[in-house]
Amino acid sequence: MHPSLLQDAGCPKEIPHNEKLLSLKYESLDYDNSENQLFLEEERRMSFLGFKCLEISRWVICGLIGFLTGLIACCIDIAVENLAGVKYFVVKQNIEKFTEVGGLSISLILWAVLNAAFVMVGAVIVAFFEPGAAGSGIPQIKCYLNGVKIPRVVRLKTLVVKVCGVICSVAGGLAVGKEGPMIHSGAVVAAGVSQGRSTSLKKDFKIFEYFRRDTEKRDFVSAGAAAGVSAAFGAPVGGVLFSLEEGASFWNQMLTWRIFFASMISTFTLNFFLSIYNKKPGDLSSPGLINFGRFESDVSSVAYNLYEIPLFIVMGAAGKNPLLFLDFSTLLLVNHGAILKCVCVCVLRYVHQPCLQVMEAMLVAAVTATVSFAMIYFSNDCQPLGPDQSEDYPLQLFCADGEYNSMATAFFNTPERSVRSLFHNPPGSYNPLTLSLFTLTYFFLACWTYGLTVSAGVFIPSLLIGAAWGRLFGILLASITPDGSVSIWADPGKYALIGAAAQLGGIVRMTLSLTVIMVEATGNVTYGLPIMLVLLTAKIVGDYFVEGLYDIHIKLQSVPFLHLEAPATSHWLTAREVMSAPVTCFNRIEKVGTIVDVLSNTSTNHNGFPVVVPVAVCGLILRSQLIVLLKHKVFVELARSRLTQRKLQLKDFRDAYPRFPPIQSIHISQDERECMMDLTEFMNPTPYTVPQETSLPRVFKLFRALGLRHLVVVDSENRVVGLVTRKDLARYHLGKHGLEEMQLAQT
Amino acid sequence: MHPSLLQDAGCPKEIPHNEKLLSLKYESLDYDNSENQLFLEEERRMSFLGFKCLEISRWVICGLIGFLTGLIACCIDIAVENLAGVKYFVVKQNIEKFTEVGGLSISLILWAVLNAAFVMVGAVIVAFFEPGAAGSGIPQIKCYLNGVKIPRVVRLKTLVVKVCGVICSVAGGLAVGKEGPMIHSGAVVAAGVSQGRSTSLKKDFKIFEYFRRDTEKRDFVSAGAAAGVSAAFGAPVGGVLFSLEEGASFWNQMLTWRIFFASMISTFTLNFFLSIYNKKPGDLSSPGLINFGRFESDVSSVAYNLYEIPLFIVMGAAGKNPLLFLDFSTLLLVNHGAILKCVCVCVLRYVHQPCLQVMEAMLVAAVTATVSFAMIYFSNDCQPLGPDQSEDYPLQLFCADGEYNSMATAFFNTPERSVRSLFHNPPGSYNPLTLSLFTLTYFFLACWTYGLTVSAGVFIPSLLIGAAWGRLFGILLASITPDGSVSIWADPGKYALIGAAAQLGGIVRMTLSLTVIMVEATGNVTYGLPIMLVLLTAKIVGDYFVEGLYDIHIKLQSVPFLHLEAPATSHWLTAREVMSAPVTCFNRIEKVGTIVDVLSNTSTNHNGFPVVVPVAVCGLILRSQLIVLLKHKVFVELARSRLTQRKLQLKDFRDAYPRFPPIQSIHISQDERECMMDLTEFMNPTPYTVPQETSLPRVFKLFRALGLRHLVVVDSENRVVGLVTRKDLARYHLGKHGLEEMQLAQT
C-alpha cells in the first residue's frame, strides 16, 4: 500500500520520509455543506414528502451496501476455502505418498510452488494494475473517514483487485488474514452504490443524485466500513463502533441507525449464503468470516477461572502472574511494533519496481512453505486423533497410526482454523515447545509478510500469534502452580483468547470497538471485562513506546490526520498563531482573469477562498465551485447578452463531482478574462468564523465537530485575517518533549 | 414524577398544560467552556503531567460510578427478592391453608393488605419527602443529558428515596419494574461522586474540584446513566449506546471509553456480589437485574424458525402473517400510548395532594392483588408440575396433585420471573385463554399504575405484556398452520421475545440502544436482525400516530428539548427570524448598578449577556459569573484602593457551583452601585457567532454539536443583533401540517 500511495503522491524517491513532515498534497473532504443560494432554493422547494423519500433512499442504499458487502465476504470465503482446500488436499496426498518411500523434498517443492503461484497472481494484479489495493486498506479508510481525500481509494478497480488479491494471498498460505480487506471492500461498495453511477464503467443510473457530495458520500462510506467489519467478524455492533471511533466526530443518530442497519444486513447476508453453501440453510450460528467459536460459561470452573483475571488485574498490587503476563504481552507487542516499523520503512524505501515486488511476494510465499514444512518435519509432537475428527487436514507424517502431528494443525491449515483450535482444543493438545517455536516463526513470517505488495490483513496473524503465546502462557501457568489449584488454570484456551486480544490490541490500538468485536466474535459477554482491561493496558503501555501500526502508517505517509482532540497543553496557541495568512480573497463580483490566475497558481494551490465586501467577510467559495462556474462561463456580461442562457443548477455541480477538471483544461479566451463573475449566488454566505484570540483547543473542537475544511479567522470588525485548514491543526502534536510542530512539505 | 416537576416549576394548577407551549422556566447547562482569562491561565499553568492526572482521575471516578451503581442494583435486587419472597411465602401458606377449608377471601385480604402496606411506605416517602423521585426518572435524565437543568434531579436525597421507593413498589406487587430507576440512580451517583462533595450532607472532600462545572458533570452523568442501564440489563454496550443516543451530540472518544468502563464495572460488580449472595461465587452468567435467559440456537429447528422472520418481513409483499403480527403489535402499542397519554394527563391534572397520591397508590396495590387473585381463582388452566421445579411459588389451588395453576405463574410472581417463564417455558405451558386474559388485565393495571406517585419503571411491565401477547400469537400461529409445518412454529418463546421487543420499542421508541440491550440480555446475537427490524417498524408506525412515552412526558412538561436535527423543512428560516432580540449587552467596563438592575429584572431573566466594545461583540458573560463577581465585589475602584485584595480565582467560581445564589441575596450598597466592574478577565472572549443569514438547520447543527447555551447573531460589521438560545430552536417542530411553532410561556 505504501509504495503506491507514495507514487500517487508523486514524491521523488530520494526524499526521506520524515515522520515530522506533513504533506501538502492531500486534500480534505468537504463535510460541511456549502449552503449557497442554489442549495437553499433546492431545499426550500423540496416538500416534506421529498425529505421522506430521501430518507428512505438512504435506508435502501444502506441495505444494499450491507447486502453487497455480505455477498463479497461470502465469495471471498468460499473461494479461499476451495482453493486452500484443493491445495492442502494435493499436498497432503503427496506428503502421505512420500512419507513412506522417502523424498519428502518433492512435497516441499510442490507446496512451495503452489504457494508461490497463488501469491504471484495476487501480487501481479496488485503491483501492476492497482497498487492502491495493497495491504488491508484500513489506514486509507481511517484517513478517508477522518476527512482526508486519498486518491483512488474508493474506486471500483481497487475493489476488484483487492478481492482477487486477498483470495490469492490467503490461498497462497501467506501469514495474512482476509478480514482487514473486507473493511476496505465495504467502503468501496458504499462509495459506489451511494453515487448511483460508476465513473470507471462510464455508467450513470441517474439515481441518488442528491447524494453526490462529500458529506453524504462520507456518511455512506462509514456505513460500508461498518458493514465490512460486521461481515468479517460477525460483529454488527462492533462495526458501528469501529466507524464511530474512526470516523464520526458529530454524533448523528439517524446515521448511526443506518450504519447499524447496514452492518446487520451484511452479517446476516454472509451468514445466510454461507449456511446455504454449507448445506445447513438457516443455521445462523456463524455470522462472520472468522468465528471464535463459543466459549461456554456454563461449566462453573470456567466462570470461576474467569473472574480471577479482572480481580487480579484490579487488585494486583504486587507483580502477580497476571500483571507479569500483561508485561510480557506488552513487551512482545512493542517489539513487534518496532520491528514492523523497521520493515515498513525498509520496504517503503527500497522495493519500488513492481517486478521486484512480485518476486519478493513469491519468495515470501516459498519461504513460508519451507519454514512450515521444516517445522512440521522436525517436530515430534504427536497427539492422538480425537474421535470427533476436529482437524481438517490431520497430517500423520512420522507419527504412529491414529495420531497426528500437532505442529501441522498450526501450520498446515488456514490461519482462521488455527486460531480456533488454539482457543478450543482441549488442554494437552499442544506441548509448550511446539507453541514457542510456532510463535517465534510465525511472528517473523508475519512481520516480513506485512510489507509485501499483496492485498491482505493483519488481524488474523496478530490473533494467531497472540493465541499461541497466550496458550503457551496458560500451559506454563498450570505447570508452575501447586497441584491443589491446577483446576483453576486448567483451560489454556482462555489464555489463548486473552493473549490474542492483547496482541491484536497492541498492534491496532483500538479499544472500544475491538472489545465489542472480540465479545461478539466469542459470543459471550462474560469475557467483556477482562478483554477490555487487557486492551486498555495494551494500549496504554504500547502508546508509551510506539504508536499503533495504522498510525505509524499514516505518519509515514505524512497525512494530515486530525486526532480526536487538540494536544492537552496547547492552550498557549491561538488562532492567530495557527492560521495561514495572508489569505487570497475574492470580491463578490470578481474579474475572471483574476480568478483564473489565482486558480492556476500552482505554488499556493488553495482550495477555499473567502469572499469579501469591501473588507468584511461575506462568504466562502471553493475551488471546485469556481471550476464549474468557469467551465459553464457564468459571466455577468454573457448573462446580459444572452438572456435565454440556462441558469446554472446544483445538478451541474453534482455531475462534475467528484472529479472536477483541473483549471488547465478549461479554456478562457483573452476577452473572457476581462469579464466579471458574480459569486453571490454560489458562495457559501455563512461560513463559520472565529476571532483571532480563540485558543487552539477551541478551534480544534469546532473544526472537528463540524467536519470543516476551511475556518475563516476574523478580527473584531469581521475582516479576514487568516484561514485555518486541516494541516494547520494537524501540525501540532504531543511529542516526548511537550508540544511539537511538524514541518509542512510539498511531498 | 409529573406533579413534582410541575410544583417545582411553580406553575399555577389552573393553567392547562398545553403541548404547544414551551416553558421559559427551564435553564440550560453550559456544555461549552467559558474560555476566559482565568481558565486559560490555569490551563497554561498546568503541565502535561497535570493533564495526565486529570485523565486518571476521570477513569477512577468512572470506575467508582460503575462500582457504586452496581452495588445499588445489587442491594435493590436482594431487598426485593427477600421482601417479595417473604410476601409470596406467607400468602402461599395462607392460600394452601384456606383452599381446603374454604374462606379464601381471608387470603385475598392478606395479600391486598401486604401489597398496600409495602406500597404505602414507598408512596409516602416519594410524595412527602422527594416528589422528584417518582416514576422511572428516565425522562428527567434524558432532559439532563440533552442539556436542560431539571431541579433536584441529581440530589442525594432523590437517590435515597428512589432506591427505597422502588424496593417498596416492586415488593408491593405493583405492575412495575426496578430497571428504569437504576438509570436515574446511576446518574445521581455519578453527579455526586464526580463533584467530590455533597451539598446535602454539607461535606466537601476537596477532591475533583476541577470537575465542578457543567461540562464535566454532564459527561460523568452520561457515564452514570450508562452504568445504570448496564446494571439493569447486563448490557454494557447497550448502556453506552443509550447514553450516546440520549445525550451525546459531540462524539468524544475518550469519554465513550470511560462510559464503557463504568458500564463494564457496573455490570460485573452487580454480577459478582449477586453470585456471592447466591452462594455461587464466580458464576458470572447473570450480569443484570433482569436476565432473559439464554436462547440457544444450537437446535437447528430454532435457527430455522428464526431466519423465516426477517425473510418474511423483508420479502413480505402481501399481508403475510409476520406483517399482520407487526400490525397487531403496532395497533396495541399505539392504543397503549394513547391510553397512557390520557392517564398521564388525568393524573397530572387532578391528583395533587400528597395524601391523595398515597391513597391512590395503595388503592392500586390492593386492586392489583384483588384482580390477580380473581384471575387465579377463576382460572382452571392446570399444568403438570415439571420435574425441574422451575416455578418458584407453584400454586396448586384447585388443581389436582402434581399440577399447578398456570395463571399463577404469571400473576403470583415477580414480573421478571414471569417474563422469563414466558420466554422459556416449553410449548404448551400456557393455554391461549390464560394468556389473553393476562395480557388484557395486566395491560390495564400497568396503565393505571404508571401515573402513580411511586418510584418505578415501565420496562418490565412492557416486556411482560409484549411477551404475553407474543406468546399468544405464537400459539395461535402454530394452531392455524397446516400440520406439516407445525415444527416451524413450534416454539412460542421466540414469539414472546419478539412481542416483548415490539411492545417495549413501541413505548419507549429507542432503536439502536434497545436492540443492543435486548441482544445482550438474550445473550445471542442471532436475534439481532429480527429484533432490530421489529423495533424499527414499531418506531416508524408508532411515530406516525403518537410520540413515545418519554417524549410525551417531556412535552407535557413543556421542556425545551432539542431533538437531533432541525426539522427537515426548516431551511426557510434564518437566524434573523429565530433569534431573540433585542439583546441586553454590557460594556467591557460596566457600572455595577446597571448590572444589578439587569440581573434583578425578573421579567427578562436572561442568563447570558454579550459584551460589546463600542458596538462590536467582544465577549460573552454568564449570569452565574456576574453573581460571583458581585458577591466578591470585584470592582475597579476597590481594586485600586485595596491593592492587597486577593485576586479572584477559578476556585471561587467552582465553590459556588452549582447553586449560585440569587441576585436578591447579594447586598449592594448605593455607593457600590456607582462603582465600575471590569469584565475583560472573566468574560468568554471568543463566543461562537453566526451571521444573520444563517439557515436554521445550520444554526441548529452548530448549537447541538457544541452543546451551546448562547449563540450570538451578528451583522456584517460584527455588531450584536440577537441571541439564539435553546428555546429559540426547540420552538420549531414538525407537526401534521408542516413546520409548527410553539408558544413560549412563563409556566
Side-chain angles (χ1 to χ4, degrees):
Chain A
M1 172 213 73
H2 277 296
S4 68
L5 270 180
L6 286 179
Q7 284 153 18
D8 279 346
C11 72
K13 291 183 181 65
E14 63 272 22
I15 289 185
H17 282 274
N18 196 322
E19 288 176 36
K20 301 275 180 238
L21 287 180
L22 215 55
S23 172
L24 289 172
K25 290 282 168 185
Y26 293 99
E27 298 301 334
S28 287
L29 297 170
D30 285 300
Y31 199 60
D32 181 39
N33 272 335
S34 174
E35 292 208 337
N36 56 21
Q37 284 185 26
L38 295 181
F39 176 79
L40 285 176
E41 273 164 26
E42 192 191 73
E43 295 283 308
R44 284 169 188 170
R45 255 201 315 275
M46 214 185 301
S47 67
F48 180 62
L49 209 69
F51 284 105
K52 276 271 168 228
C53 287
L54 275 184
E55 191 57 30
I56 293 170
S57 333
R58 288 200 188 97
W59 281 91
V60 170
I61 293 173
C62 283
L64 268 177
I65 292 169
F67 179 74
L68 291 177
T69 309
L71 217 56
I72 289 173
C74 186
C75 294
I76 292 179
D77 197 52
I78 293 175
V80 166
E81 283 289 309
N82 284 325
L83 289 180
V86 168
K87 186 186 82 176
Y88 286 122
F89 182 76
V90 169
V91 175
K92 185 172 185 286
Q93 296 284 70
N94 194 284
I95 289 178
E96 272 164 10
K97 194 168 107 197
F98 286 104
T99 309
E100 286 160 36
V101 300
L104 272 173
S105 50
I106 296 170
S107 309
L108 166 61
I109 292 169
L110 175 72
W111 190 0
V113 166
L114 278 177
N115 267 8
F118 278 123
V119 170
M120 190 185 71
V121 177
V124 162
I125 54 174
V126 171
F128 288 96
F129 292 100
E130 185 55 68
S136 71
I138 297 178
Q140 285 99 319
I141 296 302
K142 271 182 84 144
C143 289
Y144 187 91
L145 293 179
N146 193 260
V148 183
K149 204 179 273 175
I150 305 277
R152 311 182 60 77
V153 75
V154 288
R155 296 270 178 95
L156 182 63
K157 196 172 157 197
T158 313
L159 174 65
V160 174
V161 170
K162 181 132 242 164
V163 169
C164 300
V166 76
I167 293 173
C168 292
S169 37
V170 177
L174 290 180
V176 297
K178 56 190 187 292
E179 281 67 20
M182 273 317 299
I183 298 167
H184 192 167
S185 307
V188 182
V189 166
V193 170
S194 67
Q195 301 299 298
R197 68 174 167 194
S198 162
T199 22
S200 314
L201 301 180
K202 302 213 172 19
K203 179 107 189 109
D204 191 339
F205 295 96
K206 305 269 179 208
I207 45 169
F208 307 145
E209 287 176 331
Y210 187 86
F211 304 130
R212 292 180 189 172
R213 48 182 159 142
D214 284 347
T215 318
E216 299 278 352
K217 195 170 169 185
R218 185 169 144 192
D219 283 351
F220 287 115
V221 169
S222 18
V229 174
S230 173
F233 300 97
V237 183
V240 173
L241 291 174
F242 174 84
S243 270
L244 290 175
E245 204 167 324
E246 296 307 341
S249 46
F250 179 68
W251 168 266
N252 180 329
Q253 190 163 322
M254 289 310 286
L255 171 63
T256 313
W257 288 347
R258 286 197 301 269
I259 294 179
F260 191 44
F261 183 64
S263 300
M264 277 284 183
I265 297 284
S266 155
T267 180
F268 277 85
T269 306
L270 170 66
N271 207 334
F272 178 71
F273 284 108
L274 276 190
S275 72
I276 290 181
Y277 173 75
N278 293 329
K279 310 259 172 5
K280 288 184 284 189
D283 175 17
L284 298 179
S285 54
S286 56
L289 286 183
I290 171 122
N291 193 307
F292 294 167
R294 195 172 270 281
F295 283 81
E296 285 307 337
S297 62
D298 301 331
V299 195
S300 74
S301 80
V302 172
Y304 183 64
N305 191 349
L306 181 73
Y307 96 64
E308 293 282 87
I309 296 173
L311 265 190
F312 276 8
I313 293 178
V314 173
M315 304 190 318
K320 289 284 161 56
N321 289 332
L323 282 181
L324 199 145
F325 159 69
L326 283 171
D327 290 347
F328 176 49
S329 97
T330 311
L331 210 72
L332 202 74
L333 64 93
V334 168
N335 289 338
H336 196 163
I339 291 170
L340 275 175
K341 196 166 160 181
C342 294
V343 172
C344 288
V345 174
C346 292
V347 171
L348 275 174
R349 288 213 188 138
Y350 301 113
V351 186
H352 278 295
Q353 272 75 41
C355 292
L356 281 182
Q357 289 172 340
V358 171
M359 284 167 66
E360 194 199 6
M362 289 170 66
L363 177 68
V364 174
V367 167
T368 307
T370 315
V371 170
S372 310
F373 193 85
M375 300 293 289
I376 297 172
Y377 188 83
F378 293 111
S379 151
N380 48 8
D381 179 12
C382 292
Q383 300 285 344
L385 213 49
D388 52 349
Q389 186 75 14
S390 64
E391 308 307 321
D392 289 277
Y393 316 105
L395 271 189
Q396 187 182 345
L397 217 65
F398 306 117
C399 293
D401 284 346
E403 292 196 333
Y404 68 95
N405 186 309
S406 162
M407 188 66 101
T409 43
F411 270 121
F412 198 69
N413 220 335
T414 54
E416 283 84 356
R417 291 235 171 86
S418 310
V419 172
R420 221 162 29 230
S421 19
L422 283 169
F423 284 168
H424 294 295
N425 277 7
S429 308
Y430 297 89
N431 81 38
L433 188 66
T434 311
L435 282 177
S436 340
L437 275 174
F438 174 76
T439 307
L440 280 177
T441 330
Y442 203 83
F443 177 67
F444 285 106
L445 280 177
C447 284
W448 192 8
T449 311
Y450 185 70
L452 294 182
T453 316
V454 292
S455 161
V458 75
F459 275 100
I460 296 298
S462 310
L463 284 174
L464 188 50
I465 297 166
W469 66 252
R471 193 169 177 113
L472 177 65
F473 182 79
I475 295 173
L476 295 180
L477 206 61
S479 67
I480 56 167
T481 42
D483 291 340
S485 60
V486 154
S487 68
I488 299 174
W489 312 108
D491 189 0
K494 302 287 167 305
Y495 287 90
L497 177 66
I498 301 292
Q503 181 76 25
L504 186 55
I507 287 175
V508 302
R509 305 283 164 79
M510 301 191 293
T511 313
L512 182 60
S513 54
L514 195 55
T515 308
V516 177
I517 288 172
M518 296 286 288
V519 167
E520 284 185 281
T522 52
N524 195 330
V525 77
T526 328
Y527 288 84
L529 191 64
I531 288 178
M532 186 191 187
L533 291 176
V534 162
L535 287 177
L536 269 181
T537 319
K539 184 174 167 62
I540 292 167
V541 184
D543 278 350
Y544 185 75
F545 292 100
V546 66
E547 282 181 288
L549 184 62
Y550 298 141
D551 294 317
I552 294 178
H553 260 214
I554 289 168
K555 269 213 171 166
L556 281 175
Q557 295 303 311
S558 310
V559 176
F561 191 86
L562 280 191
H563 289 277
L564 297 157
E565 285 172 339
T569 54
S570 63
H571 275 98
W572 287 104
L573 293 165
T574 64
R576 194 186 293 114
E577 282 114 28
V578 166
M579 69 192 185
S580 310
V583 184
T584 317
C585 296
F586 288 131
N587 291 309
R588 211 189 250 267
I589 297 181
E590 186 62 90
K591 225 178 97 188
V592 173
T594 318
I595 294 178
V596 172
D597 289 343
V598 167
L599 292 188
S600 310
N601 184 346
T602 49
S603 74
T604 55
N605 204 24
H606 291 314
N607 274 288
F609 305 92
V611 181
V612 292
V613 51
V615 280
V617 57
C618 73
L620 184 82
I621 194 148
L622 301 174
R623 170 183 286 265
S624 59
Q625 293 173 321
L626 289 173
I627 294 272
V628 175
L629 294 183
L630 287 173
K631 200 174 128 199
H632 288 85
K633 309 215 183 292
V634 187
F635 307 144
V636 177
E637 287 76 7
L638 292 184
R640 278 187 203 138
S641 62
R642 284 184 288 162
L643 280 170
T644 52
Q645 198 193 19
R646 189 177 67 91
K647 202 167 159 292
L648 208 62
Q649 287 178 322
L650 224 45
K651 189 177 176 307
D652 299 301
F653 293 92
R654 282 180 188 146
D655 285 344
Y657 176 83
R659 303 185 199 169
F660 296 102
I663 180 73
Q664 288 78 14
S665 73
I666 294 169
H667 181 256
I668 302 286
S669 70
Q670 206 57 39
D671 284 353
E672 285 170 342
R673 285 182 62 91
E674 297 303 316
C675 291
M676 302 300 277
M677 242 161 82
D678 186 355
L679 306 179
T680 316
E681 211 177 340
F682 308 104
M683 70 185 189
N684 179 359
T686 55
Y688 294 109
T689 58
V690 286
Q692 334 179 42
E693 300 81 31
T694 317
S695 69
L696 175 59
R698 202 172 168 84
V699 172
F700 199 100
K701 193 179 166 196
L702 179 69
F703 200 89
R704 183 126 163 83
L706 300 175
L708 298 185
R709 185 172 178 187
H710 306 100
L711 181 59
V712 185
V713 182
V714 293
D715 65 6
S716 59
E717 270 86 48
N718 218 19
R719 282 178 301 223
V720 180
V721 292
L723 200 63
V724 174
T725 58
R726 169 176 289 272
K727 65 174 190 323
D728 299 317
L729 297 177
R731 218 160 26 147
Y732 298 96
H733 74 120
L734 220 51
K736 293 261 179 262
H737 316 290
L739 201 62
E740 289 175 4
E741 195 181 331
M742 287 192 268
Q743 296 302 312
L744 299 178
Q746 287 294 332
T747 57
Chain B
M1 176 215 70
H2 276 300
S4 67
L5 269 180
L6 286 178
Q7 283 154 18
D8 279 345
C11 71
K13 291 184 182 61
E14 62 271 22
I15 287 185
H17 281 272
N18 195 321
E19 289 174 37
K20 302 274 178 236
L21 288 181
L22 215 54
S23 172
L24 290 172
K25 289 284 169 186
Y26 293 99
E27 298 301 334
S28 287
L29 298 170
D30 286 300
Y31 199 60
D32 181 39
N33 272 335
S34 175
E35 291 208 337
N36 55 21
Q37 284 184 27
L38 293 182
F39 176 80
L40 285 176
E41 273 164 27
E42 193 191 73
E43 295 283 309
R44 286 169 189 170
R45 255 202 316 276
M46 212 185 300
S47 65
F48 180 61
L49 209 69
F51 284 106
K52 277 270 167 226
C53 287
L54 275 184
E55 191 56 31
I56 293 170
S57 335
R58 289 200 186 98
W59 281 92
V60 171
I61 293 174
C62 282
L64 267 176
I65 291 170
F67 180 74
L68 291 176
T69 308
L71 217 56
I72 289 174
C74 185
C75 295
I76 292 181
D77 196 51
I78 293 175
V80 167
E81 282 289 309
N82 283 326
L83 289 179
V86 168
K87 187 187 82 177
Y88 286 123
F89 182 76
V90 170
V91 175
K92 185 171 185 287
Q93 296 284 70
N94 195 284
I95 289 179
E96 272 165 10
K97 193 167 109 198
F98 285 105
T99 309
E100 286 160 35
V101 299
L104 271 172
S105 52
I106 296 170
S107 308
L108 167 61
I109 291 167
L110 175 71
W111 190 1
V113 166
L114 277 177
N115 268 7
F118 278 123
V119 170
M120 189 186 71
V121 177
V124 162
I125 53 174
V126 171
F128 288 96
F129 293 100
E130 184 56 67
S136 70
I138 296 179
Q140 286 100 318
I141 296 302
K142 270 182 82 143
C143 289
Y144 187 90
L145 293 180
N146 195 259
V148 183
K149 204 178 273 177
I150 305 278
R152 311 182 59 78
V153 74
V154 288
R155 296 272 178 94
L156 182 62
K157 196 173 157 197
T158 313
L159 174 65
V160 174
V161 170
K162 180 132 244 165
V163 169
C164 301
V166 77
I167 293 174
C168 293
S169 37
V170 176
L174 289 179
V176 297
K178 56 191 186 294
E179 280 69 19
M182 272 317 299
I183 298 168
H184 193 167
S185 306
V188 181
V189 167
V193 170
S194 66
Q195 301 299 297
R197 69 175 168 194
S198 162
T199 21
S200 313
L201 301 180
K202 301 212 172 23
K203 181 107 188 106
D204 190 340
F205 295 95
K206 304 272 179 206
I207 45 168
F208 307 144
E209 287 174 332
Y210 186 86
F211 305 130
R212 291 181 190 170
R213 49 183 158 142
D214 282 346
T215 318
E216 299 279 352
K217 195 171 169 183
R218 185 169 144 194
D219 283 351
F220 287 114
V221 170
S222 17
V229 174
S230 173
F233 300 98
V237 183
V240 173
L241 291 174
F242 173 85
S243 270
L244 288 175
E245 204 168 324
E246 295 308 340
S249 47
F250 180 69
W251 168 266
N252 180 329
Q253 190 162 323
M254 288 311 287
L255 171 63
T256 313
W257 288 348
R258 288 197 300 270
I259 294 180
F260 190 44
F261 183 66
S263 300
M264 276 283 183
I265 296 284
S266 155
T267 179
F268 277 84
T269 306
L270 170 65
N271 207 334
F272 178 71
F273 284 107
L274 276 189
S275 72
I276 291 179
Y277 173 75
N278 293 330
K279 309 259 173 3
K280 287 184 285 187
D283 175 18
L284 297 178
S285 54
S286 56
L289 285 183
I290 170 121
N291 193 307
F292 293 168
R294 195 172 269 281
F295 282 82
E296 284 308 336
S297 61
D298 300 332
V299 194
S300 73
S301 80
V302 171
Y304 184 64
N305 192 350
L306 181 72
Y307 95 62
E308 293 283 86
I309 297 174
L311 264 190
F312 276 6
I313 294 179
V314 172
M315 304 190 318
K320 288 284 162 53
N321 290 331
L323 283 181
L324 200 144
F325 160 68
L326 283 172
D327 289 349
F328 177 50
S329 98
T330 312
L331 209 73
L332 201 73
L333 64 92
V334 168
N335 288 339
H336 196 163
I339 292 169
L340 276 175
K341 197 165 160 181
C342 294
V343 172
C344 286
V345 175
C346 293
V347 171
L348 276 174
R349 289 212 186 137
Y350 303 112
V351 186
H352 279 294
Q353 271 77 41
C355 293
L356 280 182
Q357 289 171 341
V358 172
M359 283 168 64
E360 193 199 8
M362 290 171 65
L363 176 67
V364 175
V367 169
T368 306
T370 315
V371 170
S372 310
F373 192 86
M375 299 293 288
I376 296 172
Y377 187 84
F378 292 113
S379 150
N380 48 7
D381 178 12
C382 293
Q383 300 284 345
L385 214 49
D388 53 348
Q389 186 75 14
S390 64
E391 307 308 321
D392 290 277
Y393 316 106
L395 271 189
Q396 186 181 348
L397 220 64
F398 305 117
C399 292
D401 283 348
E403 292 195 333
Y404 69 95
N405 186 307
S406 162
M407 188 65 100
T409 44
F411 270 122
F412 198 68
N413 219 334
T414 54
E416 282 85 355
R417 290 235 170 87
S418 311
V419 172
R420 224 167 21 235
S421 24
L422 283 169
F423 285 167
H424 293 295
N425 277 7
S429 308
Y430 296 90
N431 82 38
L433 188 66
T434 311
L435 281 177
S436 341
L437 276 174
F438 174 76
T439 308
L440 279 176
T441 331
Y442 204 82
F443 177 68
F444 285 107
L445 281 178
C447 284
W448 192 7
T449 312
Y450 185 71
L452 294 183
T453 316
V454 292
S455 160
V458 75
F459 275 101
I460 295 299
S462 309
L463 283 175
L464 189 50
I465 296 165
W469 64 253
R471 196 174 174 110
L472 177 65
F473 182 79
I475 295 173
L476 295 181
L477 206 60
S479 67
I480 57 169
T481 42
D483 290 341
S485 60
V486 154
S487 68
I488 299 175
W489 313 108
D491 188 359
K494 302 289 167 303
Y495 287 90
L497 176 66
I498 300 293
Q503 180 77 25
L504 186 54
I507 288 174
V508 302
R509 303 284 163 80
M510 301 191 291
T511 313
L512 181 61
S513 55
L514 194 56
T515 308
V516 177
I517 289 172
M518 296 286 289
V519 167
E520 283 185 284
T522 53
N524 195 330
V525 78
T526 327
Y527 288 84
L529 191 65
I531 289 177
M532 186 191 186
L533 291 175
V534 163
L535 287 177
L536 268 182
T537 318
K539 183 172 167 64
I540 292 168
V541 185
D543 278 350
Y544 185 77
F545 291 101
V546 66
E547 281 181 288
L549 184 62
Y550 299 141
D551 293 318
I552 294 176
H553 259 212
I554 290 167
K555 269 213 172 165
L556 282 174
Q557 295 304 311
S558 311
V559 176
F561 191 85
L562 279 192
H563 289 278
L564 298 157
E565 285 171 338
T569 54
S570 63
H571 275 98
W572 286 105
L573 294 164
T574 64
R576 193 186 291 115
E577 283 113 29
V578 166
M579 69 192 185
S580 309
V583 185
T584 318
C585 296
F586 288 132
N587 293 309
R588 214 190 249 267
I589 297 181
E590 185 62 272
K591 224 179 99 189
V592 172
T594 317
I595 295 178
V596 173
D597 289 344
V598 168
L599 293 187
S600 312
N601 183 345
T602 49
S603 74
T604 55
N605 203 27
H606 292 313
N607 274 288
F609 305 93
V611 180
V612 291
V613 52
V615 281
V617 58
C618 73
L620 183 83
I621 194 150
L622 301 174
R623 169 182 288 263
S624 57
Q625 293 174 320
L626 290 171
I627 294 271
V628 175
L629 294 182
L630 287 172
K631 203 174 128 200
H632 288 86
K633 309 218 184 288
V634 188
F635 308 144
V636 178
E637 287 77 5
L638 292 184
R640 279 187 203 138
S641 61
R642 285 183 286 161
L643 281 171
T644 54
Q645 197 193 19
R646 188 178 68 89
K647 201 166 160 292
L648 207 62
Q649 287 178 320
L650 224 46
K651 189 176 176 307
D652 300 302
F653 293 92
R654 283 181 187 145
D655 285 345
Y657 177 84
R659 304 187 198 167
F660 296 102
I663 181 72
Q664 289 75 17
S665 72
I666 295 169
H667 182 254
I668 302 287
S669 71
Q670 206 57 39
D671 284 352
E672 286 170 339
R673 283 182 64 91
E674 297 304 317
C675 291
M676 302 300 277
M677 243 161 83
D678 185 355
L679 306 179
T680 317
E681 211 177 341
F682 309 104
M683 70 185 187
N684 179 0
T686 55
Y688 295 107
T689 59
V690 285
Q692 338 181 36
E693 299 81 31
T694 317
S695 69
L696 174 59
R698 201 171 168 84
V699 172
F700 199 99
K701 194 181 165 196
L702 179 69
F703 201 89
R704 183 125 164 84
L706 300 176
L708 299 185
R709 185 171 178 188
H710 305 100
L711 180 59
V712 183
V713 182
V714 293
D715 65 8
S716 60
E717 272 86 49
N718 218 18
R719 283 178 300 224
V720 179
V721 293
L723 201 62
V724 174
T725 58
R726 169 177 288 273
K727 63 173 191 325
D728 299 317
L729 297 177
R731 216 158 30 142
Y732 298 95
H733 74 120
L734 220 49
K736 292 261 180 265
H737 315 290
L739 202 63
E740 289 176 4
E741 195 180 332
M742 287 193 273
Q743 297 301 314
L744 300 177
Q746 287 295 331
T747 57

